Amino acid sequence: MNKVVAIAKFEILQIARNRFSIVALGALLLAILVSILVASMEFSVKADAFKAYADALIASGKQPQDPGTQLFPLQLTRGGIEYLEIIGALFAIVIGYSSIAREKQRGTMWLIFTRPVASSDLYLGKLAALSLLWFAFSFIAMGLSLVTAVAAGHAQISGLEMAKTLVVVFAAWVYLTLWSALAMGLASIFKNAASALVVAIALWLLVALVIPQIGDTMDPDNQVPGGLFKSLQIAKPDETAVLANFAGYNNVRDALEVSSVTKHFERVAFGFLGIKDNYNQQSFSFVWNGLLANTISLYIFALGTIAFGYFTTKPKTLIRTSK
């Protein structure tokens, strides 16, 4: 355990000294906060416009029919979550890949294994450092997101919303860590470090961009702004009856989405943050039960990538370099 802790401390120092890591994570955090700030300001403009409209109606002796748009502060984080699930995953790959490739390219891997250090110590130490990094980043990003929503949108955060946000923090932590673990495993088994990075980015493109986009495109309710069924004023029971006639089509679409860990993370995050209307303002148990399958799938993917990294990060593969 002492060796794992020592390796983790050293890896944290390496990350802190890496300008790319600092600049990249800082830029990602800034992008998340700007997206929430813009969403908050947009809501404020709409709220002020409605207030002026309502005041004018009341002054003329009429009563506004619409009670006004409510501010659901957690929904303002949608843009930040989308940045995290796509750009964050890419940065997790690059940083995880660098933790192994750096040692192989410098030739220090040979020196490490002249010491009484097991390959499992090396992997677990580096993974612990990266895991700590992603937990801190997820916590800070979501914490500052709530502060921004409160400051710019004049929103109030309830205890229930805080609890739901913590679930998303843990989901983001697991999601980013699994991408780093995958990149570490690929960097271990490839002789050529560049090949490992290419394969990792190709998987990122497929899992984080291509498959979710195909799934969204195949969803008929996404083809019209605000939802096809809502625009046609179709009731929920009728909507279910219509979709029942396309069970095979929906099964194919669901199978595609299930194969993407990004989609599982998105569903968990969007559900607990109330971005999906059917989970908005619902109890914690209702949201948890509705998203339990996605939560379990996310953790299964994480365990799979961690196991992949553990069994591939061995001296036989780590000391191989391209000539």
Side-chain angles (χ1 to χ4, degrees), residues 99-167:
S99 69
I100 297 296
R102 179 180 62 245
E103 309 290 357
K104 297 180 74 172
Q105 291 171 343
R106 292 176 180 176
T108 53
M109 201 66 77
W110 292 88
L111 179 61
I112 291 174
F113 287 117
T114 62
R115 307 286 182 176
V117 175
S119 57
S120 58
D121 295 334
L122 179 69
Y123 174 73
L124 293 176
K126 287 181 175 291
L127 183 64
L130 293 173
S131 178
L132 181 62
L133 168 69
W134 296 127
F135 180 79
F137 182 83
S138 300
F139 187 85
I140 292 171
M142 292 306 300
L144 291 179
S145 295
L146 293 185
V147 171
T148 303
V150 171
H154 308 291
Q156 293 184 345
I157 307 296
S158 66
L160 176 60
E161 289 171 326
M162 291 287 291
K164 290 180 178 179
T165 303
L166 283 176
V167 173

Side-chain angles (χ1 to χ4, degrees), residues 33-199:
L33 297 182
V34 168
S35 71
I36 297 170
L37 179 62
V38 171
S40 300
M41 293 175 64
E42 182 181 358
F43 172 83
S44 296
V45 171
K46 291 180 179 180
D48 291 342
F50 175 80
K51 186 177 184 302
Y53 164 76
D55 291 342
L57 282 179
I58 294 172
S60 65
K62 298 179 181 179
Q63 189 67 25
Q65 296 180 353
D66 189 343
T69 303
Q70 285 185 284
L71 172 62
F72 302 116
L74 298 187
Q75 289 186 340
L76 300 177
T77 62
R78 175 171 187 153
I81 292 297
E82 290 174 344
Y83 281 123
L84 195 64
E85 70 182 23
I86 297 175
I87 306 301
L90 178 60
F91 288 164
I93 286 173
V94 174
I95 294 175
Y97 155 83
S98 299
S99 69
I100 297 296
R102 179 180 62 245
E103 309 290 357
K104 297 180 74 172
Q105 291 171 343
R106 292 176 180 176
T108 53
M109 201 66 77
W110 292 88
L111 179 61
I112 291 174
F113 287 117
T114 62
R115 307 286 182 176
V117 175
S119 57
S120 58
D121 295 334
L122 179 69
Y123 174 73
L124 293 176
K126 287 181 175 291
L127 183 64
L130 293 173
S131 178
L132 181 62
L133 168 69
W134 296 127
F135 180 79
F137 182 83
S138 300
F139 187 85
I140 292 171
M142 292 306 300
L144 291 179
S145 295
L146 293 185
V147 171
T148 303
V150 171
H154 308 291
Q156 293 184 345
I157 307 296
S158 66
L160 176 60
E161 289 171 326
M162 291 287 291
K164 290 180 178 179
T165 303
L166 283 176
V167 173
V168 178
V169 169
F170 279 95
W173 167 47
V174 171
Y175 176 72
L176 295 174
T177 300
L178 74 85
W179 282 109
S180 286
L182 175 65
M184 291 173 65
L186 292 173
S188 299
I189 62 177
F190 278 87
K191 288 184 178 181
N192 189 310
S195 299
L197 185 59
V198 168
V199 171

Side-chain angles (χ1 to χ4, degrees), residues 17 20-21 34 41 68 96 105 125-126 135 138 143 177 191 220 222 229 232 249 270 283 296 303 305 314 317:
R17 293 170 182 170
F20 170 81
S21 300
V34 168
M41 293 175 64
Q105 291 171 343
K126 287 181 175 291
F135 180 79
S138 300
T177 300
K191 288 184 178 181
N222 289 337
F229 296 108
L232 295 176
Y249 178 86
F270 280 16
S283 66
I296 293 175
L303 290 174
T305 56
K314 299 296 181 183
T317 58

